[in-house]
Amino acid sequence: MDEYEFDVALSYAGEDQHLVLPVVARLKDLGVALFHDKEREAEKWGVDLVEYFSQAFTQRARYVLLFSSKHYVDKWARLQRRAAFGRAVEQHTEYVLPIRVDDTEVPGLSPTIAYLDLRVHDAGTIADAVVQKLAQHRAEFTARTPITPKSVAALAREKPRGWEYLLYVTVVAQGLAELESKYWEHFLRYAPRNGMVEHGNGVDLIRDRNVLLSEIIKVAVDTVFTADTQEAAFGRSGVPGDPDRIVHLGGLFVRTFDEILEWAREIHGTSYASEPARTAARVQARFADQQLRAMHAVAQALREVADTLVERLTAGEHIDMTVPLVFEVDPALEQEFKAALDRLSR
């Protein structure tokens, strides 16, 4: 873990000081180590400020708390912004923690980055959010952290706000990343030969596969991803979750995704003596498309939320961790499949 002299460096315009100081006071009460240049006049005296702020913002502090406002953009902290943004680009991780004083956009700061807002969140809420960020850092856990007993234990020990969500997202994101090539091949309609050969018209085999896909979805919807199962893993309101169950539940999401992939892969890997049977089977395999796309989109959305989880929760956003697994069939695809089956019986 990188060691820093300060937990947070403050960057704001002097005109906004009356709004910032209550946050400073609350952070100090919570034991957060602050780099506040207004309190370090003797240290700054006689030094090159370009070098001073560059070192303070890039080497001495874990995060920069940036209070964005018209005053900040118009006349203040150009040196600080340059140092902070340079490190943010280099690290590719959250490092600048922006807080809005007004609606002025800060040049160089992406408009897609999640903000807190002094007009909405009081000093205590903002300070608590900083503490949660630091707790996540102490756990050394992000959505890219390898899932090991040690990493899970560290996250459960520090318990940053939303840690259950972050753990679940990580399991799902990493699991689906390992299946990405298989997922891509599905939409290429490719699978290696599996040694199965269908010599007949394929009707019985197609019916069996319909039953199998229905069972995969039914088990997932009715037993694995129920409200009771989610509560057992993530905990009731005010009750902490169970990290082992969360890891298990995330693994079941990945396993269900892989089961659907394998179901379609088996179809594409089978050889068919009859051309109409091959056509009907390939149409059937596309029944997996909608569910796979939906689950893949869920995983991507979870991953995007995880990157700004503390800010979103602090801002009062409700984070839904339920898993939508409703198997729906495209009516046009269903008609195409029925027509293909009709050709088999002629």
Side-chain angles (χ1 to χ4, degrees):
M1 184 186 299
D2 294 331
E3 295 296 335
Y4 291 90
E5 182 181 353
F6 301 101
D7 294 321
V8 173
L10 300 167
S11 184
Y12 64 93
E15 291 86 345
D16 301 320
Q17 180 170 268
H18 66 291
L19 299 172
V20 175
L21 289 183
V23 178
V24 173
R26 181 58 182 155
L27 287 170
K28 288 180 177 179
D29 289 343
L30 293 172
V32 176
L34 296 177
F35 172 84
H36 188 192
D37 72 292
K38 301 294 190 299
E39 300 174 355
R40 312 187 77 82
E41 296 297 339
E43 185 178 87
K44 291 191 298 182
W45 191 12
V47 304
D48 184 325
L49 291 181
V50 173
E51 183 177 342
Y52 178 78
F53 282 118
S54 177
Q55 184 184 58
F57 279 57
T58 63
Q59 300 175 33
R60 299 173 70 185
R62 157 58 52 189
Y63 295 112
V64 168
L65 206 59
L66 185 156
F67 293 82
S68 68
S69 70
K70 180 179 185 299
H71 298 302
Y72 186 87
V73 170
D74 282 353
K75 58 185 294 190
W76 190 253
R78 288 190 179 90
L79 299 178
Q80 297 178 11
R81 291 206 311 271
R82 189 182 309 147
F85 295 166
R87 176 175 155 190
V89 170
E90 182 180 339
Q91 287 191 177
H92 302 289
T93 59
E94 73 272 23
Y95 159 64
V96 176
L97 306 179
I99 300 168
R100 289 189 187 277
V101 175
D102 56 37
D103 291 324
T104 305
E105 297 292 340
V106 177
L109 192 61
S110 170
T112 62
I113 291 178
Y115 282 78
L116 295 183
D117 194 322
L118 268 176
R119 298 165 298 180
V120 178
H121 308 107
D122 60 23
T125 300
I126 291 172
D128 288 343
V130 172
V131 170
Q132 294 298 321
K133 276 289 188 185
L134 292 168
Q136 183 176 325
H137 164 65
R138 286 194 298 270
E140 297 183 281
F141 202 98
T142 71
R144 292 168 293 279
T145 301
I147 296 295
T148 66
K150 182 179 178 180
S151 68
V152 172
L155 185 67
R157 181 181 64 251
E158 294 294 340
K159 289 185 171 61
R161 184 176 294 162
W163 69 269
E164 299 98 336
Y165 184 95
L166 180 59
L167 178 57
Y168 180 77
V169 170
T170 303
V171 174
V172 170
Q174 292 181 5
L176 262 60
E178 294 177 1
L179 296 173
E180 190 66 26
S181 61
K182 189 188 292 188
Y183 176 71
W184 182 58
E185 287 176 357
H186 168 79
F187 289 99
L188 290 178
R189 312 307 178 191
Y190 166 80
R193 299 299 90 195
N194 58 24
M196 288 185 59
V197 179
E198 171 56 49
H199 292 284
N201 63 10
V203 170
D204 290 340
L205 182 59
I206 287 171
R207 286 173 178 165
D208 288 347
R209 285 170 172 163
N210 275 345
V211 172
L212 179 58
L213 181 59
S214 296
E215 281 297 299
I216 293 171
I217 301 299
K218 183 174 178 58
V219 168
V221 172
D222 294 348
T223 65
V224 176
F225 298 106
T226 65
D228 289 342
T229 304
Q230 299 251 337
E231 185 177 282
F234 295 106
R236 299 186 301 277
S237 178
V239 178
D242 183 318
D244 292 334
R245 289 182 177 179
I246 293 171
V247 172
H248 191 190
L249 192 62
L252 289 176
F253 181 99
V254 175
R255 195 179 307 169
T256 300
F257 186 86
D258 194 28
E259 274 195 90
I260 297 172
L261 277 174
E262 282 295 330
W263 175 85
R265 196 177 182 87
E266 192 73 11
I267 295 173
H268 287 295
T270 299
S271 299
Y272 303 88
S274 163
E275 183 60 35
R278 178 186 296 106
T279 299
R282 296 299 174 87
V283 173
Q284 182 184 37
R286 287 158 52 199
F287 286 152
D289 292 5
Q290 189 166 341
Q291 190 59 54
L292 289 170
R293 285 195 178 102
M295 294 181 74
H296 199 268
V298 165
Q300 288 183 316
L302 292 174
R303 177 68 179 80
E304 290 171 4
V305 171
D307 285 339
T308 56
L309 184 60
V310 170
E311 294 91 331
R312 288 169 179 262
L313 290 172
T314 302
E317 182 175 338
H318 173 69
I319 305 299
D320 185 7
M321 285 181 278
T322 58
V323 180
L325 281 176
V326 179
F327 184 60
E328 298 176 350
V329 178
D330 179 357
L333 178 61
E334 192 168 23
Q335 289 300 317
E336 184 180 352
F337 180 60
K338 287 180 179 180
L341 286 181
D342 288 343
R343 285 193 290 272
L344 293 182
S345 58
R346 292 175 185 170

